[in-house]
Every structure is written in C-alpha cells, then in structure tokens.
Amino acid sequence: MNATWCLTTWLTFLLGSVNSQSNINVQNLYTLLFTTNNYNTLIRPSRNQSVPLSVHVIFTLYGISGVDEIEQKLTATGWLEIAWTDELLSWTPENFGGLKYIYYPQGEVWKPDISLQNGFSKLEELGSKFISVFIDSNGLVKWRPFQVFESKCDIDSTYFPFDRQTCHLDFVAWSLSNVDVHITKGGKGIELAKDLQRHGEWKILSSSSLNLAESDETKVRFTIVIQRKPMYALINYIMPILLLSILDIFTFKIPVDTGERIGYVITVWLAYAVFLTIISDSLPQTSESIPIVSIYIMIQIFIATVIVIISAIESGCAHRSDDESVYCLLQALAKKCRKRSVQLESEISKSLPGDETCVTWKEAMSALDKILFWVCLTIFVLSTLVTLLIAGLKYI
C-alpha cells in the first residue's frame, strides 16, 4: 500500500513538473519572441516574403442597430475573427513548461490592416488597445476585434412597409496588395451570434459570404438580407388611411340638402391633413425611391379633395328653386345657343321624359350621389387591392 502511494506521488510530481507553466516560463517566452528574436511589427511574418500570407476572416453578427433611408446606411454590431500564421511567433512548448499559447496586446504584433471598404464613417483601425490576440505554439494568431460597423447600403423603400434590403460589408486589406496578403473567408464566412440581438423594426432573413478578387487586391464580402416588420406600419399608418377613405366615400349617403354634409366632408379632409402631419416623420424620407404607400395615400387625398369640391357644387345646386328644374334649365340653355339650338333641344327631349315631367335639383343630386358612391367605392377597392398585391408579392 505504501509502495503504491509512493509511486503515484512520484509520477504526479514528475508529470506535473514537466507540464508546469509558471510566470517565469511565460516571461522567458516573451523575452525570446519579442526581444531576443528582435520581433518587428512592420515586417510581414513570413520567412519567404515572396509568398503571400493567407488571412482567414469570419464575421459574427451580433445584431442590427439601425437602417437609415436618407443616408443610405446600415449599422450592424458584431466582431471579426481574423486568423493567420505568424512564422516568427512559434516555439517548442516543452522548452517552456508545456506552454502552448499566450495572449499579447494587438498593437505589439503584426496584423493585416483590414478595414471596412464601404464604411460610412472615417477610416480607422479595427478593435481597441485593450484587445489581445491569441497566439499558439505553431504561430497561429487569432484576432477578434469587436466593433459597430456603419456601411453604405442602397435602401429601396418602394415596397414600404413590406420591403427587404440587401446590404454588403466589404473587408479589404487597405494598404496591402494581393501579392502580400490573400484574404479569404474562413469557415462559413458569416455567422449569427447565439444571443443575437433582435431589432424592433427589422429581422434578419439570411446571410452569406463571398471571396472577391480584383486586379490588385482581395477582399471578403459579407451579405446581410433584412426585412422590415410590417405590423407597426399596418396598424398605425395603413389602417387609419383605410378608415378615413371609407368615411369619405360615405359622404354621398348624407342628403345633399342637409347642412351637415359640408361640415362632415371638411372634417374628414382635415383629419387626413392632421394624420399626415403626424406620420410624415415616420414614412421613408427619400426621393430615390417613392414608396407605393405614399402614392396610395396621395390617391386617397386626391379623391377626398374631389369629394369636397363635388359636395360644395351639389350643395349649391340643391338649394336652387324647384321651379328651375334640371330639364327646364337645359331647355333654356338650348334656346340661348344660336347655332345648334334646335339640335340640342331635340337631343335633350329624347333623353329626358316629356315636357310635362321636370326633374328637380334635389332628385338629380340624389341620383348623382348614388352613382358617385359606387364610383368612388370601386376606385378605393381597386387601388387598395393593387397596392397590397404589389407590396405583398414582394414581401412573400
């Protein structure tokens, strides 16, 4: 029993002493790599300088922070995982207590000057001074800079609020050519974080990555496809417009000879104006692509304006004297025409009942209201269906 215990203790001590990693080991390794070997951050870490260094880039998307239609800008939060092999930072772990990896400040090692080529803000270095790079004994260096990326994106708001946008993030080695550095996507290229941050207005549909090679540079393109969540716009923008349009059409169900009709139609028109003032800041404010919803709203406002004009004209006609009927007025106009008076009078006589029957203004306006009600209702239904169909097909 004592022999077994002694053997176990001796093996544990022996193995532990071989693989122990003390601060002295780390200090000696740092001294060897960065002092004794005269490591220079300005020298590309390849023993054969004629061979381009391969750099692999993976982008992990943490969330969408915002989309600006006016400035054509996408703001995304995430981090890059950039990996390459530094042949000048390799060692034998057994010589340093089995030390297999270390961490070192990002500013103290060579790293490719990768930047966002289609960035919206000023060109600056990725990451921060407090970020360290991971270095293993084989010289593999991993750099994970976290940042808020603001990139240019062509925002097309034509199908608002059912629009979807495709935005690109192009990363390139800014001052290094493809002779020095060859940038490629690593793994899947772009990945979504497990704790992906949700956005209240946009959702991520898909993502992809692509290697791009140009004449003197190589770059990686990460593509993000996002889609607007339409429920808020439907409830707060579309539904009120639909309800106001229906109220406007039912103006023709109010008798024209009542005084409430003009007040009713003016109130509905003012409701349009107040509502548009409220939502004007929420609609896409760009002239590059006019949203279909804006065209639809303008059509409804135009119809509302026409209804106000028609109601004003009908109110004036309805208060004419019954002695001056529609038929009698047409007869009088026909007689005043010097050239075609006889022809006009005969045509009017054929189209209307005999001379003994006169249609009053009130009856004429009532019949006209029935026609206008169905005409406006048809225009409203067709314009709504066409708008929803065009926008809905794009959404699907």
Side-chain angles (χ1 to χ4, degrees), residues 189-205:
I190 184 171
E191 299 177 354
L192 302 181
K194 295 181 180 179
D195 53 344
L196 182 67
Q197 183 183 14
R198 295 185 179 181
H199 193 270
E201 187 178 3
W202 299 91
K203 65 178 180 180
I204 301 173
L205 289 183

mmCIF file of all heavy atoms in Angstrom, residues 189-205:
data_model
loop_
_atom_site.group_PDB
_atom_site.id
_atom_site.type_symbol
_atom_site.label_atom_id
_atom_site.label_comp_id
_atom_site.label_asym_id
_atom_site.label_seq_id
_atom_site.Cartn_x
_atom_site.Cartn_y
_atom_site.Cartn_z
ATOM 1 N N GLY A 189 -17.909 31.750 -43.174
ATOM 2 C CA GLY A 189 -17.820 33.140 -43.605
ATOM 3 C C GLY A 189 -18.509 34.076 -42.645
ATOM 4 O O GLY A 189 -17.880 34.867 -41.963
ATOM 5 N N ILE A 190 -19.828 33.986 -42.578
ATOM 6 C CA ILE A 190 -20.609 34.825 -41.676
ATOM 7 C C ILE A 190 -21.469 33.935 -40.796
ATOM 8 O O ILE A 190 -22.052 32.949 -41.257
ATOM 9 C CB ILE A 190 -21.476 35.841 -42.458
ATOM 10 C CG1 ILE A 190 -22.216 36.766 -41.492
ATOM 11 C CG2 ILE A 190 -22.433 35.146 -43.396
ATOM 12 C CD1 ILE A 190 -22.899 37.921 -42.184
ATOM 13 N N GLU A 191 -21.519 34.278 -39.531
ATOM 14 C CA GLU A 191 -22.288 33.508 -38.573
ATOM 15 C C GLU A 191 -23.133 34.449 -37.737
ATOM 16 O O GLU A 191 -22.786 35.630 -37.559
ATOM 17 C CB GLU A 191 -21.363 32.687 -37.665
ATOM 18 C CG GLU A 191 -20.493 31.677 -38.416
ATOM 19 C CD GLU A 191 -19.547 30.935 -37.486
ATOM 20 O OE1 GLU A 191 -19.507 31.307 -36.287
ATOM 21 O OE2 GLU A 191 -18.848 30.019 -37.950
ATOM 22 N N LEU A 192 -24.244 33.938 -37.227
ATOM 23 C CA LEU A 192 -25.112 34.700 -36.338
ATOM 24 C C LEU A 192 -24.805 34.314 -34.902
ATOM 25 O O LEU A 192 -24.679 33.129 -34.587
ATOM 26 C CB LEU A 192 -26.589 34.441 -36.659
ATOM 27 C CG LEU A 192 -27.047 34.769 -38.088
ATOM 28 C CD1 LEU A 192 -28.528 34.489 -38.249
ATOM 29 C CD2 LEU A 192 -26.746 36.219 -38.444
ATOM 30 N N ALA A 193 -24.670 35.302 -34.053
ATOM 31 C CA ALA A 193 -24.362 35.041 -32.653
ATOM 32 C C ALA A 193 -25.508 34.267 -31.993
ATOM 33 O O ALA A 193 -26.672 34.404 -32.376
ATOM 34 C CB ALA A 193 -24.116 36.352 -31.913
ATOM 35 N N LYS A 194 -25.154 33.439 -31.033
ATOM 36 C CA LYS A 194 -26.178 32.653 -30.336
ATOM 37 C C LYS A 194 -27.163 33.553 -29.590
ATOM 38 O O LYS A 194 -28.359 33.272 -29.561
ATOM 39 C CB LYS A 194 -25.503 31.676 -29.367
ATOM 40 C CG LYS A 194 -24.655 30.610 -30.070
ATOM 41 C CD LYS A 194 -24.031 29.655 -29.063
ATOM 42 C CE LYS A 194 -23.199 28.593 -29.775
ATOM 43 N NZ LYS A 194 -22.561 27.650 -28.817
ATOM 44 N N ASP A 195 -26.661 34.621 -29.014
ATOM 45 C CA ASP A 195 -27.523 35.588 -28.332
ATOM 46 C C ASP A 195 -27.784 36.787 -29.240
ATOM 47 O O ASP A 195 -27.567 37.946 -28.864
ATOM 48 C CB ASP A 195 -26.896 36.035 -27.018
ATOM 49 C CG ASP A 195 -25.471 36.549 -27.202
ATOM 50 O OD1 ASP A 195 -24.881 36.283 -28.271
ATOM 51 O OD2 ASP A 195 -24.964 37.220 -26.300
ATOM 52 N N LEU A 196 -28.243 36.489 -30.466
ATOM 53 C CA LEU A 196 -28.476 37.520 -31.471
ATOM 54 C C LEU A 196 -29.436 38.577 -30.942
ATOM 55 O O LEU A 196 -30.515 38.269 -30.437
ATOM 56 C CB LEU A 196 -29.040 36.886 -32.747
ATOM 57 C CG LEU A 196 -29.294 37.824 -33.930
ATOM 58 C CD1 LEU A 196 -27.984 38.371 -34.466
ATOM 59 C CD2 LEU A 196 -30.045 37.096 -35.038
ATOM 60 N N GLN A 197 -29.036 39.830 -31.082
ATOM 61 C CA GLN A 197 -29.857 40.932 -30.613
ATOM 62 C C GLN A 197 -30.962 41.217 -31.622
ATOM 63 O O GLN A 197 -30.708 41.437 -32.805
ATOM 64 C CB GLN A 197 -28.994 42.186 -30.407
ATOM 65 C CG GLN A 197 -29.748 43.371 -29.862
ATOM 66 C CD GLN A 197 -28.853 44.598 -29.741
ATOM 67 O OE1 GLN A 197 -27.757 44.626 -30.289
ATOM 68 N NE2 GLN A 197 -29.318 45.606 -29.042
ATOM 69 N N ARG A 198 -32.204 41.235 -31.156
ATOM 70 C CA ARG A 198 -33.340 41.485 -32.038
ATOM 71 C C ARG A 198 -33.581 42.978 -32.198
ATOM 72 O O ARG A 198 -33.367 43.753 -31.282
ATOM 73 C CB ARG A 198 -34.594 40.810 -31.485
ATOM 74 C CG ARG A 198 -34.516 39.284 -31.446
ATOM 75 C CD ARG A 198 -35.840 38.687 -30.989
ATOM 76 N NE ARG A 198 -35.787 37.231 -30.981
ATOM 77 C CZ ARG A 198 -36.820 36.463 -30.642
ATOM 78 N NH1 ARG A 198 -37.972 37.013 -30.271
ATOM 79 N NH2 ARG A 198 -36.688 35.156 -30.657
ATOM 80 N N HIS A 199 -34.051 43.332 -33.382
ATOM 81 C CA HIS A 199 -34.377 44.721 -33.689
ATOM 82 C C HIS A 199 -35.891 44.861 -33.778
ATOM 83 O O HIS A 199 -36.591 43.970 -34.258
ATOM 84 C CB HIS A 199 -33.717 45.143 -35.006
ATOM 85 C CG HIS A 199 -33.744 46.619 -35.235
ATOM 86 N ND1 HIS A 199 -34.770 47.249 -35.892
ATOM 87 C CD2 HIS A 199 -32.865 47.599 -34.883
ATOM 88 C CE1 HIS A 199 -34.530 48.545 -35.962
ATOM 89 N NE2 HIS A 199 -33.381 48.783 -35.349
ATOM 90 N N GLY A 200 -36.413 45.995 -33.295
ATOM 91 C CA GLY A 200 -37.860 46.172 -33.258
ATOM 92 C C GLY A 200 -38.500 46.349 -34.616
ATOM 93 O O GLY A 200 -39.693 46.071 -34.782
ATOM 94 N N GLU A 201 -37.727 46.791 -35.616
ATOM 95 C CA GLU A 201 -38.297 47.072 -36.939
ATOM 96 C C GLU A 201 -37.816 46.117 -38.012
ATOM 97 O O GLU A 201 -38.543 45.869 -38.987
ATOM 98 C CB GLU A 201 -37.953 48.509 -37.345
ATOM 99 C CG GLU A 201 -38.625 48.963 -38.626
ATOM 100 C CD GLU A 201 -38.292 50.405 -38.969
ATOM 101 O OE1 GLU A 201 -37.486 51.021 -38.235
ATOM 102 O OE2 GLU A 201 -38.835 50.927 -39.966
ATOM 103 N N TRP A 202 -36.626 45.566 -37.876
ATOM 104 C CA TRP A 202 -36.037 44.727 -38.914
ATOM 105 C C TRP A 202 -35.720 43.346 -38.363
ATOM 106 O O TRP A 202 -35.361 43.199 -37.200
ATOM 107 C CB TRP A 202 -34.752 45.356 -39.462
ATOM 108 C CG TRP A 202 -34.965 46.694 -40.094
ATOM 109 C CD1 TRP A 202 -34.897 47.908 -39.494
ATOM 110 C CD2 TRP A 202 -35.302 46.942 -41.465
ATOM 111 N NE1 TRP A 202 -35.161 48.908 -40.395
ATOM 112 C CE2 TRP A 202 -35.417 48.336 -41.612
ATOM 113 C CE3 TRP A 202 -35.509 46.126 -42.577
ATOM 114 C CZ2 TRP A 202 -35.723 48.931 -42.830
ATOM 115 C CZ3 TRP A 202 -35.811 46.719 -43.780
ATOM 116 C CH2 TRP A 202 -35.926 48.092 -43.905
ATOM 117 N N LYS A 203 -35.843 42.359 -39.232
ATOM 118 C CA LYS A 203 -35.429 40.999 -38.898
ATOM 119 C C LYS A 203 -34.486 40.488 -39.977
ATOM 120 O O LYS A 203 -34.580 40.869 -41.150
ATOM 121 C CB LYS A 203 -36.638 40.072 -38.763
ATOM 122 C CG LYS A 203 -37.423 39.840 -40.047
ATOM 123 C CD LYS A 203 -38.568 38.869 -39.812
ATOM 124 C CE LYS A 203 -39.364 38.628 -41.099
ATOM 125 N NZ LYS A 203 -40.483 37.675 -40.884
ATOM 126 N N ILE A 204 -33.570 39.635 -39.571
ATOM 127 C CA ILE A 204 -32.556 39.101 -40.482
ATOM 128 C C ILE A 204 -33.115 37.866 -41.171
ATOM 129 O O ILE A 204 -33.493 36.895 -40.520
ATOM 130 C CB ILE A 204 -31.270 38.766 -39.717
ATOM 131 C CG1 ILE A 204 -30.732 40.018 -39.028
ATOM 132 C CG2 ILE A 204 -30.228 38.185 -40.659
ATOM 133 C CD1 ILE A 204 -29.552 39.747 -38.121
ATOM 134 N N LEU A 205 -33.173 37.911 -42.498
ATOM 135 C CA LEU A 205 -33.679 36.771 -43.270
ATOM 136 C C LEU A 205 -32.581 35.763 -43.573
ATOM 137 O O LEU A 205 -32.751 34.560 -43.382
ATOM 138 C CB LEU A 205 -34.311 37.251 -44.575
ATOM 139 C CG LEU A 205 -35.647 37.992 -44.477
ATOM 140 C CD1 LEU A 205 -36.152 38.336 -45.873
ATOM 141 C CD2 LEU A 205 -36.683 37.169 -43.738
#
